[in-house]
CSV table of all heavy atoms in Angstrom, one decimal:
chain,number,residue,atom,x,y,z
A,1,LEU,N,38.1,-66.5,75.8
A,1,LEU,CA,38.5,-65.3,75.0
A,1,LEU,C,39.5,-65.7,73.9
A,1,LEU,O,40.2,-66.8,74.0
A,1,LEU,CB,39.2,-64.3,76.0
A,1,LEU,CG,40.4,-64.6,76.8
A,1,LEU,CD1,41.7,-64.5,75.9
A,1,LEU,CD2,40.6,-63.5,77.9
A,2,GLN,N,39.6,-64.9,73.0
A,2,GLN,CA,40.7,-64.9,72.0
A,2,GLN,C,41.1,-63.5,71.7
A,2,GLN,O,40.3,-62.7,71.1
A,2,GLN,CB,40.3,-65.6,70.7
A,2,GLN,CG,41.4,-65.6,69.6
A,2,GLN,CD,41.0,-66.4,68.3
A,2,GLN,OE1,39.9,-66.9,68.3
A,2,GLN,NE2,41.9,-66.4,67.4
A,3,LYS,N,42.3,-63.1,72.2
A,3,LYS,CA,42.8,-61.8,72.1
A,3,LYS,C,44.3,-61.8,71.8
A,3,LYS,O,44.9,-62.8,72.0
A,3,LYS,CB,42.5,-61.0,73.3
A,3,LYS,CG,41.1,-60.7,73.6
A,3,LYS,CD,40.9,-59.9,74.8
A,3,LYS,CE,39.4,-59.6,75.2
A,3,LYS,NZ,38.8,-58.7,74.2
A,4,SER,N,44.8,-60.7,71.3
A,4,SER,CA,46.2,-60.6,71.2
A,4,SER,C,46.9,-60.7,72.6
A,4,SER,O,46.4,-60.2,73.5
A,4,SER,CB,46.6,-59.3,70.4
A,4,SER,OG,46.5,-58.2,71.3
A,5,ARG,N,48.1,-61.2,72.6
A,5,ARG,CA,48.9,-61.2,73.8
A,5,ARG,C,49.1,-59.8,74.4
A,5,ARG,O,48.9,-59.5,75.6
A,5,ARG,CB,50.3,-61.9,73.6
A,5,ARG,CG,51.2,-61.8,74.8
A,5,ARG,CD,52.6,-62.0,74.4
A,5,ARG,NE,53.0,-60.9,73.5
A,5,ARG,CZ,54.2,-60.9,72.9
A,5,ARG,NH1,55.1,-61.8,73.1
A,5,ARG,NH2,54.5,-59.9,72.1
A,6,ASP,N,49.4,-58.9,73.5
A,6,ASP,CA,49.7,-57.5,73.9
A,6,ASP,C,48.4,-56.9,74.5
A,6,ASP,O,48.5,-56.1,75.5
A,6,ASP,CB,50.2,-56.6,72.7
A,6,ASP,CG,51.5,-57.0,72.3
A,6,ASP,OD1,52.2,-57.7,73.1
A,6,ASP,OD2,52.0,-56.6,71.2
A,7,GLU,N,47.2,-57.1,73.9
A,7,GLU,CA,46.0,-56.6,74.5
A,7,GLU,C,45.7,-57.1,75.9
A,7,GLU,O,45.3,-56.3,76.8
A,7,GLU,CB,44.8,-56.9,73.6
A,7,GLU,CG,43.5,-56.3,74.0
A,7,GLU,CD,42.4,-56.6,73.0
A,7,GLU,OE1,42.6,-57.2,72.0
A,7,GLU,OE2,41.2,-56.2,73.4
A,8,ILE,N,46.0,-58.4,76.1
A,8,ILE,CA,45.8,-58.9,77.5
A,8,ILE,C,46.8,-58.3,78.4
A,8,ILE,O,46.4,-57.8,79.5
A,8,ILE,CB,46.0,-60.4,77.4
A,8,ILE,CG1,44.8,-61.1,76.6
A,8,ILE,CG2,45.9,-61.0,78.8
A,8,ILE,CD1,45.0,-62.5,76.3
A,9,ILE,N,48.1,-58.4,78.1
A,9,ILE,CA,49.1,-57.9,79.0
A,9,ILE,C,49.0,-56.4,79.3
A,9,ILE,O,49.2,-55.9,80.4
A,9,ILE,CB,50.5,-58.3,78.5
A,9,ILE,CG1,50.6,-59.8,78.3
A,9,ILE,CG2,51.6,-57.7,79.4
A,9,ILE,CD1,50.4,-60.6,79.6
A,10,ASP,N,48.7,-55.6,78.2
A,10,ASP,CA,48.7,-54.2,78.3
A,10,ASP,C,47.3,-53.6,79.0
A,10,ASP,O,47.4,-52.6,79.7
A,10,ASP,CB,48.8,-53.5,77.0
A,10,ASP,CG,50.2,-53.7,76.4
A,10,ASP,OD1,51.1,-54.1,77.1
A,10,ASP,OD2,50.4,-53.6,75.1
A,11,ASN,N,46.2,-54.3,78.7
A,11,ASN,CA,45.0,-53.8,79.2
A,11,ASN,C,44.4,-54.4,80.5
A,11,ASN,O,43.8,-53.7,81.3
A,11,ASN,CB,43.9,-53.9,78.0
A,11,ASN,CG,44.3,-53.1,76.8
A,11,ASN,OD1,45.1,-52.1,76.9
A,11,ASN,ND2,43.7,-53.4,75.7
A,12,TYR,N,44.5,-55.7,80.6
A,12,TYR,CA,44.0,-56.4,81.8
A,12,TYR,C,44.8,-56.1,83.0
A,12,TYR,O,46.1,-55.8,82.9
A,12,TYR,CB,43.9,-57.9,81.5
A,12,TYR,CG,42.8,-58.4,80.7
A,12,TYR,CD1,42.7,-58.0,79.3
A,12,TYR,CD2,41.7,-59.1,81.2
A,12,TYR,CE1,41.6,-58.4,78.6
A,12,TYR,CE2,40.7,-59.6,80.4
A,12,TYR,CZ,40.6,-59.2,79.1
A,12,TYR,OH,39.6,-59.6,78.3
A,13,GLY,N,44.2,-56.2,84.2
A,13,GLY,CA,45.0,-56.0,85.4
A,13,GLY,C,44.3,-56.5,86.6
A,13,GLY,O,43.1,-57.0,86.5
A,14,ILE,N,45.0,-56.5,87.7
A,14,ILE,CA,44.3,-57.0,89.0
A,14,ILE,C,44.2,-55.9,89.9
A,14,ILE,O,45.2,-55.3,90.4
A,14,ILE,CB,45.2,-58.1,89.6
A,14,ILE,CG1,45.3,-59.3,88.6
A,14,ILE,CG2,44.6,-58.6,90.9
A,14,ILE,CD1,46.3,-60.4,89.1
A,15,LEU,N,43.0,-55.5,90.1
A,15,LEU,CA,42.7,-54.4,91.1
A,15,LEU,C,42.6,-55.0,92.5
A,15,LEU,O,41.9,-56.0,92.7
A,15,LEU,CB,41.3,-53.7,90.7
A,15,LEU,CG,40.9,-52.5,91.5
A,15,LEU,CD1,40.1,-51.5,90.6
A,15,LEU,CD2,40.1,-52.9,92.7
A,16,LYS,N,43.3,-54.4,93.4
A,16,LYS,CA,43.3,-54.8,94.8
A,16,LYS,C,42.8,-53.8,95.7
A,16,LYS,O,43.1,-52.6,95.7
A,16,LYS,CB,44.8,-55.2,95.2
A,16,LYS,CG,45.4,-56.3,94.5
A,16,LYS,CD,46.8,-56.6,94.9
A,16,LYS,CE,47.4,-57.9,94.2
A,16,LYS,NZ,48.7,-58.2,94.6
A,17,CYS,N,41.8,-54.2,96.5
A,17,CYS,CA,41.1,-53.3,97.4
A,17,CYS,C,40.9,-54.0,98.8
A,17,CYS,O,40.8,-55.2,98.8
A,17,CYS,CB,39.8,-52.7,96.8
A,17,CYS,SG,38.5,-53.9,96.7
A,18,ASP,N,40.7,-53.2,99.8
A,18,ASP,CA,40.4,-53.9,101.1
A,18,ASP,C,39.0,-54.3,101.1
A,18,ASP,O,38.1,-54.0,100.3
A,18,ASP,CB,40.7,-52.9,102.3
A,18,ASP,CG,39.9,-51.6,102.3
A,18,ASP,OD1,38.7,-51.7,101.9
A,18,ASP,OD2,40.5,-50.6,102.6
A,19,ILE,N,38.6,-55.1,102.1
A,19,ILE,CA,37.3,-55.8,102.2
A,19,ILE,C,36.2,-54.8,102.2
A,19,ILE,O,35.2,-54.9,101.6
A,19,ILE,CB,37.3,-56.7,103.3
A,19,ILE,CG1,38.3,-57.9,103.0
A,19,ILE,CG2,35.9,-57.3,103.6
A,19,ILE,CD1,38.4,-58.9,104.2
A,20,ASP,N,36.4,-53.7,103.0
A,20,ASP,CA,35.3,-52.7,103.2
A,20,ASP,C,35.0,-52.0,101.9
A,20,ASP,O,33.9,-51.5,101.6
A,20,ASP,CB,35.7,-51.7,104.3
A,20,ASP,CG,35.7,-52.4,105.6
A,20,ASP,OD1,35.0,-53.4,105.8
A,20,ASP,OD2,36.5,-51.9,106.5
A,21,TYR,N,36.1,-51.8,101.0
A,21,TYR,CA,35.9,-51.0,99.8
A,21,TYR,C,35.3,-51.8,98.6
A,21,TYR,O,34.7,-51.2,97.7
A,21,TYR,CB,37.3,-50.5,99.3
A,21,TYR,CG,37.2,-49.4,98.3
A,21,TYR,CD1,37.0,-48.1,98.6
A,21,TYR,CD2,37.4,-49.7,96.9
A,21,TYR,CE1,36.9,-47.1,97.6
A,21,TYR,CE2,37.3,-48.7,95.9
A,21,TYR,CZ,37.1,-47.4,96.3
A,21,TYR,OH,37.0,-46.5,95.3
A,22,PHE,N,35.2,-53.1,98.8
A,22,PHE,CA,34.7,-53.9,97.6
A,22,PHE,C,33.4,-53.5,97.2
A,22,PHE,O,33.1,-53.6,96.0
A,22,PHE,CB,34.8,-55.4,98.1
A,22,PHE,CG,34.3,-56.3,97.0
A,22,PHE,CD1,35.1,-56.6,95.9
A,22,PHE,CD2,33.1,-57.0,97.1
A,22,PHE,CE1,34.8,-57.5,94.9
A,22,PHE,CE2,32.7,-57.9,96.1
A,22,PHE,CZ,33.5,-58.1,95.0
A,23,SER,N,32.5,-53.1,98.1
A,23,SER,CA,31.1,-52.8,97.7
A,23,SER,C,31.1,-51.5,96.8
A,23,SER,O,30.0,-51.3,96.1
A,23,SER,CB,30.2,-52.6,98.9
A,23,SER,OG,30.8,-51.5,99.7
A,24,ASN,N,32.2,-50.8,96.7
A,24,ASN,CA,32.2,-49.6,95.9
A,24,ASN,C,32.5,-49.9,94.4
A,24,ASN,O,32.5,-49.0,93.6
A,24,ASN,CB,33.2,-48.5,96.5
A,24,ASN,CG,32.8,-48.0,97.8
A,24,ASN,OD1,31.6,-47.7,98.0
A,24,ASN,ND2,33.7,-47.9,98.7
A,25,ILE,N,33.0,-51.1,94.2
A,25,ILE,CA,33.4,-51.5,92.8
A,25,ILE,C,32.2,-51.7,92.0
A,25,ILE,O,31.3,-52.5,92.3
A,25,ILE,CB,34.4,-52.7,92.9
A,25,ILE,CG1,35.5,-52.4,93.8
A,25,ILE,CG2,34.8,-53.0,91.4
A,25,ILE,CD1,36.4,-51.3,93.4
A,26,ASP,N,32.1,-51.1,90.8
A,26,ASP,CA,31.0,-51.3,89.9
A,26,ASP,C,31.0,-52.7,89.4
A,26,ASP,O,32.1,-53.2,88.9
A,26,ASP,CB,31.1,-50.3,88.7
A,26,ASP,CG,29.9,-50.3,87.8
A,26,ASP,OD1,29.2,-51.3,87.8
A,26,ASP,OD2,29.7,-49.3,87.2
A,27,LYS,N,29.9,-53.4,89.5
A,27,LYS,CA,29.8,-54.8,89.1
A,27,LYS,C,30.2,-55.0,87.6
A,27,LYS,O,30.7,-56.0,87.2
A,27,LYS,CB,28.5,-55.4,89.4
A,27,LYS,CG,28.1,-55.5,90.8
A,27,LYS,CD,26.7,-56.1,91.0
A,27,LYS,CE,26.4,-56.3,92.5
A,27,LYS,NZ,25.0,-56.8,92.7
A,28,LYS,N,29.9,-53.9,86.8
A,28,LYS,CA,30.3,-54.0,85.4
A,28,LYS,C,31.8,-54.1,85.1
A,28,LYS,O,32.2,-54.6,84.1
A,28,LYS,CB,29.7,-52.9,84.6
A,28,LYS,CG,28.2,-52.8,84.7
A,28,LYS,CD,27.6,-51.6,83.9
A,28,LYS,CE,26.1,-51.5,84.0
A,28,LYS,NZ,25.6,-50.3,83.3
A,29,ASP,N,32.5,-53.7,86.1
A,29,ASP,CA,34.0,-53.6,86.0
A,29,ASP,C,34.6,-55.0,86.4
A,29,ASP,O,35.9,-55.2,86.2
A,29,ASP,CB,34.6,-52.5,86.8
A,29,ASP,CG,34.2,-51.1,86.3
A,29,ASP,OD1,33.9,-51.0,85.0
A,29,ASP,OD2,34.1,-50.2,87.1
A,30,ILE,N,33.9,-55.9,87.0
A,30,ILE,CA,34.4,-57.1,87.6
A,30,ILE,C,34.2,-58.3,86.6
A,30,ILE,O,33.1,-58.7,86.3
A,30,ILE,CB,33.7,-57.4,88.9
A,30,ILE,CG1,34.0,-56.3,89.9
A,30,ILE,CG2,34.3,-58.7,89.5
A,30,ILE,CD1,33.2,-56.4,91.2
A,31,ILE,N,35.3,-58.8,86.1
A,31,ILE,CA,35.3,-60.0,85.3
A,31,ILE,C,35.2,-61.3,86.2
A,31,ILE,O,34.4,-62.1,86.1
A,31,ILE,CB,36.5,-60.1,84.4
A,31,ILE,CG1,36.5,-59.0,83.4
A,31,ILE,CG2,36.5,-61.5,83.6
A,31,ILE,CD1,37.7,-58.9,82.5
A,32,ALA,N,36.1,-61.2,87.3
A,32,ALA,CA,36.1,-62.3,88.3
A,32,ALA,C,36.9,-61.7,89.5
A,32,ALA,O,37.6,-60.8,89.3
A,32,ALA,CB,36.8,-63.6,87.8
A,33,TYR,N,36.7,-62.3,90.6
A,33,TYR,CA,37.4,-61.8,91.8
A,33,TYR,C,37.7,-63.0,92.8
A,33,TYR,O,37.1,-64.0,92.7
A,33,TYR,CB,36.5,-60.7,92.5
A,33,TYR,CG,35.2,-61.3,93.2
A,33,TYR,CD1,35.2,-61.7,94.5
A,33,TYR,CD2,34.1,-61.3,92.5
A,33,TYR,CE1,34.1,-62.2,95.1
A,33,TYR,CE2,32.9,-61.8,93.0
A,33,TYR,CZ,32.9,-62.2,94.3
A,33,TYR,OH,31.8,-62.7,94.9
A,34,LYS,N,38.7,-62.7,93.7
A,34,LYS,CA,39.0,-63.6,94.7
A,34,LYS,C,39.2,-62.9,96.0
A,34,LYS,O,39.9,-61.8,96.0
A,34,LYS,CB,40.4,-64.3,94.2
A,34,LYS,CG,40.9,-65.3,95.3
A,34,LYS,CD,42.1,-66.0,94.7
A,34,LYS,CE,43.3,-65.1,94.7
A,34,LYS,NZ,44.6,-65.7,94.3
A,35,LYS,N,38.6,-63.4,97.0
A,35,LYS,CA,38.8,-62.9,98.3
A,35,LYS,C,39.9,-63.5,99.1
A,35,LYS,O,40.0,-64.7,99.2
A,35,LYS,CB,37.5,-63.0,99.1
A,35,LYS,CG,37.5,-62.3,100.5
A,35,LYS,CD,36.2,-62.5,101.2
A,35,LYS,CE,36.2,-61.8,102.6
A,35,LYS,NZ,34.9,-62.1,103.3
A,36,THR,N,40.8,-62.7,99.6
A,36,THR,CA,41.9,-63.2,100.5
A,36,THR,C,41.6,-62.7,101.9
A,36,THR,O,40.5,-62.3,102.2
A,36,THR,CB,43.3,-62.6,100.0
A,36,THR,OG1,43.2,-61.1,100.3
A,36,THR,CG2,43.6,-62.8,98.6
A,37,LYS,N,42.5,-63.0,102.8
A,37,LYS,CA,42.2,-62.7,104.2
A,37,LYS,C,42.0,-61.3,104.5
A,37,LYS,O,41.1,-61.0,105.3
A,37,LYS,CB,43.5,-63.2,105.1
A,37,LYS,CG,43.2,-63.2,106.6
A,37,LYS,CD,44.3,-63.8,107.3
A,37,LYS,CE,44.1,-63.8,108.8
A,37,LYS,NZ,45.1,-64.4,109.6
A,38,TYR,N,42.7,-60.4,103.8
A,38,TYR,CA,42.6,-59.0,104.1
A,38,TYR,C,42.1,-58.1,102.9
A,38,TYR,O,41.9,-56.9,103.1
A,38,TYR,CB,43.9,-58.4,104.6
A,38,TYR,CG,44.4,-59.1,105.8
A,38,TYR,CD1,45.6,-59.9,105.7
A,38,TYR,CD2,43.9,-58.9,107.1
A,38,TYR,CE1,46.1,-60.6,106.9
A,38,TYR,CE2,44.4,-59.5,108.2
A,38,TYR,CZ,45.4,-60.4,108.1
A,38,TYR,OH,45.9,-61.0,109.2
A,39,ALA,N,41.9,-58.7,101.8
A,39,ALA,CA,41.6,-57.9,100.6
A,39,ALA,C,40.9,-58.7,99.5
A,39,ALA,O,40.7,-59.9,99.7
A,39,ALA,CB,42.9,-57.3,100.0
A,40,TYR,N,40.5,-58.0,98.4
A,40,TYR,CA,39.9,-58.6,97.3
A,40,TYR,C,40.9,-58.4,96.1
A,40,TYR,O,41.5,-57.3,96.0
A,40,TYR,CB,38.6,-58.0,96.9
A,40,TYR,CG,37.4,-58.5,97.7
A,40,TYR,CD1,37.0,-57.9,98.9
A,40,TYR,CD2,36.7,-59.6,97.3
A,40,TYR,CE1,35.9,-58.4,99.6
A,40,TYR,CE2,35.6,-60.1,98.0
A,40,TYR,CZ,35.2,-59.5,99.1
A,40,TYR,OH,34.1,-59.9,99.8
A,41,GLU,N,41.0,-59.4,95.3
A,41,GLU,CA,41.7,-59.3,94.0
A,41,GLU,C,40.7,-59.4,92.9
A,41,GLU,O,40.0,-60.4,92.8
A,41,GLU,CB,42.8,-60.3,93.9
A,41,GLU,CG,43.9,-60.2,94.9
A,41,GLU,CD,45.0,-61.2,94.8
A,41,GLU,OE1,44.8,-62.1,93.9
A,41,GLU,OE2,46.0,-61.2,95.6
A,42,ILE,N,40.7,-58.4,92.0
A,42,ILE,CA,39.6,-58.3,91.0
A,42,ILE,C,40.2,-58.2,89.6
A,42,ILE,O,41.1,-57.3,89.4
A,42,ILE,CB,38.7,-57.0,91.3
A,42,ILE,CG1,38.1,-57.1,92.7
A,42,ILE,CG2,37.6,-56.9,90.3
A,42,ILE,CD1,37.5,-55.8,93.2
A,43,LEU,N,39.8,-59.1,88.8
A,43,LEU,CA,40.2,-59.0,87.4
A,43,LEU,C,39.4,-58.0,86.6
A,43,LEU,O,38.2,-58.0,86.6
A,43,LEU,CB,40.0,-60.4,86.7
A,43,LEU,CG,40.4,-60.5,85.2
A,43,LEU,CD1,41.9,-60.3,85.1
A,43,LEU,CD2,40.0,-61.9,84.7
């Protein structure tokens, strides 16, 4: 990517949901994700 710092800091985020809820997240909204022991972290 090449974006302004403000655009990244202001617009991007890490969505955290429990393991059971992950299937409800629209795939189009997921840039990348990481599974932890109890939850998912989604960019």
Side-chain angles (χ1 to χ4, degrees):
L1 63 77
Q2 178 176 358
K3 294 182 181 291
S4 74
R5 175 202 59 185
D6 290 345
E7 184 177 354
I8 294 170
I9 300 302
D10 293 344
N11 295 341
Y12 281 65
I14 300 175
L15 184 149
K16 296 181 177 179
C17 67
D18 61 39
I19 292 173
D20 293 335
Y21 192 83
F22 180 72
S23 60
N24 295 317
I25 306 297
D26 191 332
K27 291 181 180 180
K28 295 178 182 178
D29 295 330
I30 301 174
I31 298 173
Y33 68 91
K34 179 176 69 175
K35 184 180 179 182
T36 64
K37 188 174 181 179
Y38 301 108
Y40 279 91
E41 295 181 357
I42 302 165
L43 178 65

